[in-house]
Every structure is written in C-alpha cells, then in structure tokens.
Amino acid sequence: MNTTRNQLIELLKRSNQSFISGQELSENLGISRTAVWKHMKELEKEGYQVQAVPRKGYRISGQPDKLSASTVKWGLRTRWAGKQLFHYPVVESTQVIGHQLAQKGTEEGTVILADEQTAGKGRMGRRWHSAKTEGIWMSIILRPPILPHKAPQITLLTAVAIAEAIESLTNTTPAIKWPNDIFFHDRKAAGILTEMQAEQDEIQYIVLGIGINVNQSLSDLPEDIQQTATSIKQETGIEWELAPLVQQILADFETYYGNYLLNGFAAIKEKWEHYGYKIGEQVHVSASKQEYQAEILGIAEDGALRVRKLDGGDENLYSAEIHW
Ligand code: BT5
C-alpha cells in the first residue's frame, strides 16, 4: 500500500468521526487537493462511505467489511507488525510472495494477505486449502536475531498469539496442538508454517505463514478434510469479519514476539501450556522412525514437547507428529 494512502488513513482515523478539511489533508500529506480527492475516490471504490461536505471537508462514515490493506490498517494498533501490508485477491501462496519480498530486503513486520490461494502450502509439501474470502491467509516477514535452531520457538509463540486473539475476540477457547496447529474439539481450524532462510549461525529471514479457517461451513471444505477440519464459524455459529481478527492477531503476535526476543522462550511456556492440547493424555507419537504411545507432559523451556513413554521413560521431542 502506498505511503500517502497510509498517511491519509492515519489522519482520517485520528479525526475519528469528525470532518477534516481538504486543505488540512493536502497540507499534511504534501499533495494537492485534487490528489486528496482522488485518494478519497479510491477509498470509496474499496467500499468506504466517504462524506464530502463543502467547507467542512471529508469524513468516513462507514467501512467495508471485506479484507483489504486499508481495512486492516484502519484499526491496527501495532507499532511495527503490519505497518507495511500487501493484500492480493488471488495468489499462488502468500509464502512465495513473502520469500520474494524478504530476499529483496523488505523490512521486518511486512504482512502479505490474500483472499484466496491457489496453491496454499502446508508443511513438508502438504497442501493448505485456502478458499476465497473464507479465511485468513497471511504471511509475516521476520528477521529475528536468534540462532536458526531456535526458529521452531517462533511457531510456538505464534500459536499462543493466535489462540489468545481468537479467544479474546470470539469468546471461544481453542487448543494448541504441538507444534503448529490450532484446534477446536479435535478438529483443526488453523495451521502455522515457519519457513526460514538461514546460514549456520544466523537467520536471514523467516516467512511466517498463518492460515485460519474463519467462515467456512462444513460443506465448503474439501471432502478429504471434512472429518478433521473446522472453522471459527462452525464453532461459534456466526460469521466473523476478517480485518478485526487480523488486527488482533498482529497485535498479540507483536507483543509475544517482542517479549520473546527480550526474555526468551521460557516466558511463553506457561501461556502455551494453558492452551496446550491433550496435556496429561495418551497420544500416538511418530518421531524419527520410532512409533510409540506416550503421555504428553507439556513443553520444555526451549519449546520441546515433553512426553512420558508407557515404559516410564521421558523424552523431549523436537520434531514429531502427534496422533490419537
Ligand atoms: C499447516 O501445515 O498446518 C500449515 C498451514 C499454513 C497455511 C498458511 S496460509 C498463509 C501461508 N501461505 C501458505 O501457502 N501457507 C501459509 P500442516 O501441519 O502440514 O497441515 C497440512 C494438513 O492440514 C493437510 O495435509 C490437510 O490434511 C490439512 N488441511 C489442509 N487445508 C486445511 C484447512 N484449510 N483446514 C484444516 N486442515 C487443512
């Protein structure tokens, strides 16, 4: 989104419901009054209700409920997450765009959003179903000053931020299934994909992918995941606007990520365990060619999954699939 539009949105947001004159906007933005008028027309095309009253100026009296760079910016309360934001109607995958931008040096916190992905990616070459306007399909570019082997901790703290954001907005409590899934009642509603470009002891960048099913009915989901997936709408019985959810996730993410960089992962462990799925229960573990039944104990201070095997032996898992 271009910077003039960003600034215009900031000014309109600040003036809240009162009018702001074309003159004031033009002076603040350093553009002509005709250019201001053109920007207001663009906002109108995006679905904003713009009131233009002679001698008073402009006022926004209504916002569209669809996702766009402007609607996300409008209520965004972050310092850096999503300050630069790109929105596309259709992409192959927001991850692909994230990598392209990150390689060009794009700043940390840049967000890529899409209404629809034609080749949404899961982990290990799996597909992520990302139908049009029914969910949040988003990638965030990060440049954390941490060692590459710690990158999985970013997945875990992101899961906490998503769980908290969903809970605070929708009043339903999700669970986090280690390492990267958000669940409701044994069904997956969201997944996280953390892709990294790194050298031996330095992360160049991370493209953090977040996929959340929001407004899908069961029949909107492809048949192969109808028994295993859900959406926030299916859990709450109502449709949700996407922009406020994106804003809340970015705000919570910014807090957890900032806290993590300052204080390390141990500070997040307790929060994670609060949402942790199947803690204290028996699950099936597939880990590096080993398969066994184990009880989930929680996570370690470095984010490893702590399990107790049936023979009593404890293990800390860094890479494994959990089934039940
Ligand atoms: C994930 O992989 O859960 C990571 C998903 C990340 C998606 C986001 S969307 C924005 C960004 N751009 C991308 O291209 N990707 C990221 P994994 O744990 O491997 O789970 C994949 C499995 O989840 C699939 O094999 C299906 O079984 C199931 N699945 C696919 N689409 C789903 C959906 N919409 N809802 C629930 N389950 C789904």
Side-chain angles (χ1 to χ4, degrees):
M1 184 158 65
N2 75 42
T3 49
T4 310
R5 178 75 67 81
N6 275 347
Q7 287 165 8
L8 174 64
I9 287 176
E10 279 303 318
L11 290 168
L12 290 165
K13 251 165 66 178
R14 255 185 268 149
S15 71
N16 205 358
Q17 287 291 303
S18 45
F19 282 93
I20 178 163
S21 73
Q23 184 63 32
E24 193 179 335
L25 288 172
S26 110
E27 277 168 17
N28 274 292
L29 299 171
I31 57 174
S32 68
R33 290 180 66 164
T34 317
V36 169
W37 178 80
K38 280 189 186 149
H39 275 290
M40 299 309 285
K41 285 281 154 210
E42 286 298 315
L43 282 180
E44 227 165 33
K45 268 195 223 146
E46 280 188 35
Y48 286 86
Q49 284 157 29
V50 177
Q51 278 183 287
V53 176
R55 282 186 297 281
K56 277 187 159 177
Y58 297 100
R59 182 169 83 163
I60 300 294
S61 55
Q63 297 189 35
D65 62 8
K66 62 178 188 197
L67 203 58
S68 73
S70 305
T71 54
V72 174
K73 287 254 157 190
W74 201 275
L76 196 60
R77 302 171 304 280
T78 56
R79 276 189 302 115
W80 54 266
K83 285 288 162 190
Q84 169 148 259
L85 201 144
F86 298 92
H87 170 263
Y88 301 89
V90 190
V91 294
E92 192 185 308
S93 156
T94 55
Q95 291 294 101
V96 173
I97 297 177
H99 282 284
Q100 288 165 354
L101 289 172
Q103 273 154 20
K104 283 194 220 149
T106 302
E107 69 195 44
E108 176 162 74
T110 298
V111 166
I112 302 105
L113 277 161
D115 291 335
E116 180 182 358
Q117 297 185 117
T118 54
K121 296 202 279 179
R123 295 177 305 152
M124 294 169 274
R126 297 185 196 124
R127 293 297 289 263
W128 181 259
H129 181 72
S130 332
K132 193 174 172 186
T133 68
E134 287 176 345
I136 293 170
W137 324 126
M138 147 164 105
S139 299
I140 310 175
I141 295 173
L142 300 172
R143 300 184 184 278
I146 58 169
L147 291 169
H149 76 269
K150 292 193 168 173
Q153 296 176 343
I154 305 268
T155 308
L156 302 180
L157 76 87
T158 304
V160 174
I162 295 173
E164 205 164 274
I166 292 177
E167 183 173 34
S168 69
L169 232 73
T170 69
N171 232 355
T172 45
T173 307
I176 303 174
K177 175 173 171 265
W178 190 90
N180 71 315
D181 293 339
I182 302 287
F183 265 58
F184 285 105
H185 305 116
D186 292 346
R187 285 168 175 262
K188 179 162 170 170
I192 300 163
L193 173 66
T194 305
E195 293 182 314
M196 163 171 76
Q197 186 68 38
E199 309 212 319
Q200 213 165 15
D201 54 3
E202 190 185 49
I203 293 179
Q204 272 143 10
Y205 67 81
I206 282 176
V207 182
L208 177 68
I210 297 174
I212 306 176
N213 299 333
V214 181
N215 288 325
Q216 288 97 334
S217 303
L218 195 58
S219 57
D220 295 328
L221 294 165
E223 255 173 45
D224 61 319
I225 57 169
Q226 278 191 7
Q227 302 306 313
T228 54
T230 186
S231 70
I232 299 180
K233 176 177 150 183
Q234 285 174 55
E235 299 303 316
T236 57
I238 41 177
E239 298 231 344
W240 293 89
E241 267 185 52
L242 301 183
L245 264 166
V246 171
Q247 289 156 355
Q248 191 63 45
I249 289 165
L250 290 175
D252 286 339
F253 173 76
E254 184 177 282
T255 306
Y256 277 105
Y257 181 76
N259 187 4
Y260 166 71
L261 293 185
L262 275 177
N263 305 313
F265 187 76
I268 287 145
K269 170 181 148 55
E270 205 178 303
K271 275 279 178 187
W272 192 96
E273 287 181 340
H274 168 74
Y275 291 107
Y277 186 57
K278 301 254 178 208
I279 293 182
E281 292 184 41
Q282 292 286 335
V283 294
H284 184 85
V285 176
S286 318
S288 53
K289 298 192 190 121
Q290 267 192 308
E291 305 261 333
Y292 52 86
Q293 291 289 116
E295 177 193 340
I296 298 187
L297 300 176
I299 53 171
E301 299 232 319
D302 63 355
L305 186 71
R306 293 171 52 234
V307 297
R308 177 158 299 157
K309 292 176 161 180
L310 291 186
D311 64 12
D314 288 355
E315 297 249 0
N316 280 9
L317 302 172
Y318 290 90
S319 146
E321 296 275 329
I322 308 299
H323 308 281
W324 53 88

